[in-house]
Amino acid sequence: MRIRWFFVFFFFSGFCSLLYEVIWVRLGMAHFGVTTPVVSIFLSLFMAGLGLGSWIAGRWMRNIENHSGKYPLRLYALAELLIGLSAWAVPVEMGWARNYLENYGSDLSASSLHYYWIAGLWSMFILLPWTTCMGATFPLAMAAIRKLSSASQRSFSFLYLANVLGAVVGALLPALVLIEIFGFRGTMKLAAICNLLISILAFLLSLQAKALDEKSETEAEASRPVAAASRKSILSLLFLIGLVSLAMEVVWIRQFTPYMGTEVYAFALLLGCYLAGTFIGSQIYRRWLRRHPPGEENVAWLLLGLAGLFPLLMADPRFSHPHFHMQMPGFLRVALGIMPITGLMGFITPMLVDQYSEGKPDRAGKAYAVNIAGCIVGPLLSGFLLLPFLGERWSLILLCMPLFFLFYIFKPQTSAFRARYGPRFYLEAAVVAIVLIAFTKDFYSNFNKYELRRDNTATVVAMGQGMRKWLFVNGVGITQLTPVTKVMAHLPLAFHVQPPRDALVICFGMGTTQRSMLSWGIQSTTVELVPSVPHLFTYFHSDGERLLQSPNSHLIIDDGRLFLEKTRQQFDVITIDPPPPISAAGVSLLYSREFYEVVKLRLRPGGILQQWTVGGDLVDLVAITKALKESFPYVRCMGSVEGWGFHFIASMSPIRDLTPAELASRMPPAAVADMLEWGPGHTAEQQFALMLRNEVPLDQILEFKDIDVQPLDDDRPVNEYYLLRTMLPSKWSKALYAMVTRR
């Protein structure tokens, strides 16, 4: 049997594994909340399963000499079969978890430690069995190769190369193409088919293994062991590389978000660059083995610290400053910034595992598990300790420090190596590092006057003066002072049949909508995902501190959708202002049919939902309108007083057709004063007249676009995945969406 088959297997296996990881994290966000701890739990458990599977399978294969080549190959086929079944099992298991959490108790907030324990236990139950099977594939395949090939001593790097190449495709192809066409569940089923085909082929090929056993064993005896450093030091280095690489990835996401944006394509491209650099480094390592004697690979260690500082340069805002006449695309910033360091780590990681394992699956399983343990610790260290206290720049610098200490461990040994990488090299490296640290700036150096807050979720900045104040989250402008955010409160409250008693605001932002709610003298609860955002309330509104301390004001740090799913409280009005842009990753969870089903449970009889959207792509507007129309029998839509975006008001009860004067008469004096604070109307009646004059019939919206788009739902968020419809000719995109709707 040709060893090339294993390259094919691990290419598609890497593709499927990365695809599952991305989609499972997204499903986890929908079921457990869009919070940093929840995402961290999912990623950590995913990695933990890989490490556990690698370690268990490695120990299982310790006595491989007692078996023929059929045995590990058939176990590998079984592992791939089980992985394929996860495409059907995981969504069902997540549904069980959601039902349990909804029935557990109304006081179980997603911001509580108790909730994270329960979510973590459920996530472990859901993910660990399947990810353990994924981690087991490396030792099982190595055991088969050890019995069937003479090139077994470096089999890990061979499989790792194929796996990473498949992961590059798994990071890009679903985000760019597959999810838009097939949705999340359909894309997972495609991956499952790949796993099942791998399983069948591996089993069929195992039938040929018996005739090759004797030959492969003879070849194995003739092979020579690879020279390596002490095993303990190799394991320490593998742990360090895993920790630093994944910790840096968390930093890079925040560091480059101002230039890449918050869309799924931005995250996919960053992950693609990370994996592409790793693949290139692994490929260079495989070729390096044929051309260089042992010891010369130490040059990779010497360059590692410097490469880790490159993102400081590429994230410097002056590359886009008009004074320098330079405009560097965000993708190019990311590629030039992170691919040097990921390339070096892609060189070093398989090299260390090869040196430690010498082709033995039990050693490889242990080494890979240690590397994954570092990958688990890294994001937790970066996200919960370094970024909240040090920020992006100094977190990255601190993570590079241990890499510079490796200079001493891997100092040149031979005279030729010392001549090339001697004192002069160390001096030059020190100068470059000092320049990168001392003379680069972060994104926020663009702002003259600002206030900054950091937490484990985001870096938040308030800047500007007067009415030109802005709120930035991770460098992306989220909202500004505008009468539109006041209307989000006054419009549904004025239309409510009875004098409203309480309201819920999802997404605090600058706090303008919450401030307007409180002007009615009612109880108002606001839910905000980012803990630091409410701390800047006083920056935007001088009375912010007083309003936060009001007995009518209730602030909850939580995921808005998750809060609605678990609370048993009902409200007269629920108003939602999802963060822009409408195509941002995860935003569809506040626009989907599934979300509106939850909202209906939390509205009292006669209650009103106010849903704001900036409009954006007309297909998105149609999909949102259809989702609202299918969920609520009574829906009205009005353009904003500033001429951009739309206010939807929806209810399970008829929404009365009131005149501007009737709406104005229902407002208390404090609410009138609040609504007119920034105009544009001079009286409450004029303000309502502007909105009613901009009312848009729903049928008119549905005819905006001659394209058969389905209502927005969790499985197919058309607002987030739009690349094909915007890039393909109109005729093709219409045919594509007609096919999707039929499916």
Side-chain angles (χ1 to χ4, degrees):
M1 186 183 74
R2 294 184 179 181
I3 194 173
R4 291 179 182 177
W5 275 109
F6 286 94
F7 192 94
V8 175
F9 292 161
F10 270 73
F11 171 84
F12 284 102
S13 182
F15 165 78
C16 295
S17 296
L18 214 291
L19 185 152
Y20 289 135
E21 180 183 3
V22 172
I23 294 181
W24 289 350
V25 169
R26 174 54 185 262
L27 293 178
M29 291 164 62
H31 287 77
F32 296 97
V34 190
T35 65
T36 298
V38 166
V39 174
S40 299
I41 287 170
F42 260 72
L43 292 176
S44 296
L45 286 172
F46 190 95
M47 300 301 294
L50 296 181
L52 182 64
S54 177
W55 180 74
I56 292 174
R59 289 181 65 86
W60 199 341
M61 293 294 102
R62 182 175 292 177
N63 299 318
I64 183 62
E65 287 77 9
N66 300 329
H67 299 277
S68 68
K70 290 180 180 180
Y71 180 67
L73 194 52
R74 289 180 179 177
L75 286 178
Y76 171 76
L78 177 61
E80 291 288 353
L81 174 65
L82 293 174
I83 295 168
L85 296 178
S86 68
W88 287 272
V90 168
V92 173
E93 292 168 341
M94 287 191 180
W96 295 345
R98 168 181 273 180
N99 292 335
Y100 176 84
L101 290 170
E102 286 180 357
N103 297 322
Y104 185 87
S106 59
D107 59 342
L108 189 62
S109 167
S111 60
S112 69
L113 184 62
H114 186 196
Y115 173 78
Y116 292 136
W117 273 109
I118 295 176
L121 290 173
W122 268 104
S123 302
M124 183 170 63
F125 166 74
I126 294 168
L127 296 182
L128 273 187
W130 314 111
T131 55
T132 299
C133 292
M134 293 178 186
T137 56
F138 269 104
L140 294 176
M142 287 182 67
I145 292 174
R146 186 173 176 82
K147 299 293 291 183
L148 304 174
S149 171
S150 60
S152 64
Q153 287 188 326
R154 299 189 184 104
S155 58
F156 178 85
S157 58
F158 173 76
L159 299 175
Y160 185 81
L161 181 70
N163 199 253
V164 173
L165 181 60
V168 174
V169 180
L172 297 176
L173 187 62
L176 301 180
V177 178
L178 297 181
I179 294 175
E180 186 173 356
I181 299 175
F182 300 105
F184 292 118
R185 293 173 185 264
T187 302
M188 279 199 299
K189 290 174 183 177
L190 288 176
I193 292 172
C194 289
N195 288 124
L196 296 176
L197 289 175
I198 294 171
S199 177
I200 293 170
L201 285 172
F203 179 80
L204 293 176
L205 289 170
S206 72
L207 301 177
Q208 306 175 20
K210 185 175 181 180
L212 299 173
D213 282 345
E214 293 182 4
K215 178 182 177 182
S216 61
E217 287 174 3
T218 302
E219 291 172 342
E221 290 174 0
S223 63
R224 296 180 180 179
V226 179
S230 70
R231 292 200 177 101
K232 187 176 291 187
S233 64
I234 289 178
L235 292 179
S236 300
L237 290 169
L238 282 168
F239 181 85
L240 175 65
I241 292 300
L243 184 151
V244 171
S245 62
L246 267 291
M248 283 184 171
E249 184 181 6
V250 175
V251 176
W252 295 335
I253 290 173
R254 283 206 202 180
Q255 200 170 31
F256 289 105
T257 293
Y259 310 106
M260 295 287 288
T262 56
E263 298 179 341
V264 291
Y265 302 116
F267 297 118
L269 290 173
L270 190 146
L271 183 58
C273 286
Y274 180 100
L275 294 168
T278 304
F279 168 76
I280 293 170
S282 302
Q283 180 75 347
I284 292 173
Y285 163 68
R286 294 285 298 178
R287 294 183 178 180
W288 182 279
L289 290 172
R290 307 188 196 110
R291 303 176 184 176
H292 296 82
E296 287 196 8
E297 68 273 6
N298 283 3
V299 65
W301 293 105
L302 301 181
L303 297 173
L304 202 57
L306 278 181
L309 294 175
F310 280 7
L312 294 178
L313 181 63
M314 292 298 104
D316 194 310
R318 290 172 293 182
F319 275 111
S320 294
H321 199 286
H323 178 72
F324 293 96
H325 305 289
M326 299 178 68
Q327 294 292 330
M328 180 174 288
F331 172 72
L332 187 58
R333 284 179 181 270
V334 171
L336 295 178
I338 74 173
M339 288 184 71
I341 178 72
T342 58
L344 289 168
M345 289 182 173
F347 183 102
I348 288 167
T349 301
M351 176 188 74
L352 291 175
V353 178
D354 276 350
Q355 289 178 351
Y356 184 86
S357 67
E358 297 180 356
K360 296 179 180 178
D362 57 325
R363 291 184 185 175
K366 182 178 180 180
Y368 193 44
V370 169
N371 180 251
I372 291 173
C375 294
I376 295 170
V377 175
L380 300 176
L381 172 68
S382 184
F384 292 95
L385 186 61
L386 297 183
L387 283 171
F389 293 101
L390 300 178
E392 297 85 355
R393 271 179 55 79
W394 287 105
S395 294
L396 197 65
I397 292 168
L398 186 63
L399 289 169
C400 287
M401 290 299 104
L403 303 182
F404 282 107
F405 287 128
L406 297 175
F407 273 29
Y408 176 77
I409 299 175
F410 296 97
K411 58 187 177 182
Q413 301 295 330
T414 65
S415 57
F417 202 52
R418 282 196 297 269
R420 185 179 301 179
Y421 301 103
R424 181 178 175 181
F425 170 81
Y426 287 94
L427 179 62
E428 291 171 346
V431 170
V432 173
I434 292 171
V435 169
L436 287 173
I437 294 172
F439 294 100
T440 55
K441 296 184 178 181
D442 59 26
F443 174 78
Y444 306 104
S445 63
N446 278 334
F447 302 152
N448 294 324
K449 179 184 177 182
Y450 63 91
E451 287 190 21
L452 184 145
R453 301 285 189 278
R454 293 190 180 97
D455 55 50
N456 58 21
T457 301
T459 299
V460 183
V461 169
M463 58 84 64
Q465 296 180 346
M467 286 296 294
R468 298 180 63 83
K469 292 179 180 178
W470 278 87
L471 176 67
F472 288 82
V473 177
N474 287 338
V476 176
I478 297 298
T479 185
Q480 65 187 91
L481 294 179
T482 168
V484 172
T485 49
K486 290 181 175 291
V487 172
M488 295 175 192
H490 297 303
L491 183 66
L493 289 173
F495 267 106
H496 196 269
V497 177
Q498 302 295 331
R501 291 168 288 175
D502 51 21
L504 172 68
V505 179
I506 294 181
C507 302
F508 185 85
M510 289 180 167
T512 306
T513 306
Q514 172 73 349
R515 186 169 175 259
S516 297
M517 289 288 188
L518 293 173
S519 71
W520 283 69
I522 63 174
Q523 297 284 322
S524 182
T525 301
T526 184
V527 181
E528 172 57 45
L529 181 65
V530 182
S532 293
V533 165
H535 294 166
L536 297 169
F537 191 14
T538 305
Y539 184 94
F540 302 111
H541 303 284
S542 59
D543 55 355
E545 188 65 29
R546 177 180 63 82
L547 292 175
L548 282 179
Q549 295 176 0
S550 167
N552 286 341
S553 179
H554 309 282
L555 174 63
I556 296 174
I557 301 301
D558 203 344
D559 172 73
R561 174 165 168 167
L562 196 65
F563 171 78
L564 281 172
E565 288 178 347
K566 281 186 287 301
T567 187
R568 294 298 176 263
Q569 187 177 356
Q570 290 187 315
F571 304 90
D572 288 328
V573 166
I574 298 176
T575 189
I576 307 166
D577 179 18
I582 195 172
S583 55
V587 165
S588 64
L589 296 174
L590 295 178
Y591 284 117
S592 66
R593 285 186 295 187
E594 293 85 347
F595 174 64
Y596 294 139
E597 291 303 312
V598 178
V599 170
K600 288 192 293 186
L601 297 175
R602 306 299 170 239
L603 285 173
R604 288 197 186 96
I608 294 177
L609 163 71
Q610 189 279 158
Q611 173 77 76
W612 163 258
T613 176
V614 294
D617 185 278
L618 292 179
V619 172
D620 298 339
L621 184 61
V622 171
I624 293 169
T625 304
K626 283 187 174 182
L628 277 166
K629 191 174 180 181
E630 286 193 7
S631 303
F632 293 91
Y634 304 98
V635 183
R636 295 176 67 176
C637 177
M638 300 170 194
S640 77
V641 292
E642 291 193 329
W644 55 279
F646 299 91
H647 300 275
F648 288 93
I649 54 175
S651 179
M652 299 301 292
S653 303
I655 301 173
R656 292 192 297 171
D657 192 12
L658 301 175
T659 66
E662 290 172 325
L663 291 169
S665 67
R666 300 166 65 86
M667 298 180 68
V672 172
D674 177 84
M675 186 170 73
L676 299 179
E677 182 180 9
W678 301 331
H682 299 293
T683 66
E685 185 176 345
Q686 287 182 0
Q687 195 90 319
F688 282 118
L690 288 173
M691 287 179 275
L692 294 177
R693 190 165 58 217
N694 292 333
E695 184 162 4
V696 181
L698 294 189
D699 291 340
Q700 183 177 332
I701 295 176
L702 299 178
E703 294 172 0
F704 274 167
K705 202 73 168 166
D706 184 20
I707 188 167
D708 193 7
V709 60
Q710 67 179 32
L712 197 151
D713 60 23
D714 286 349
D715 185 61
R716 200 181 300 275
V718 296
N719 60 316
E720 297 180 40
Y721 295 88
Y722 56 84
L723 191 66
L724 292 179
R725 77 165 182 259
T726 56
M727 294 188 64
L728 292 175
S730 177
K731 182 178 179 180
W732 293 5
S733 64
K734 290 178 181 178
L736 172 66
Y737 273 75
M739 178 194 72
V740 167
T741 303
R742 285 196 299 271
R743 290 186 64 253

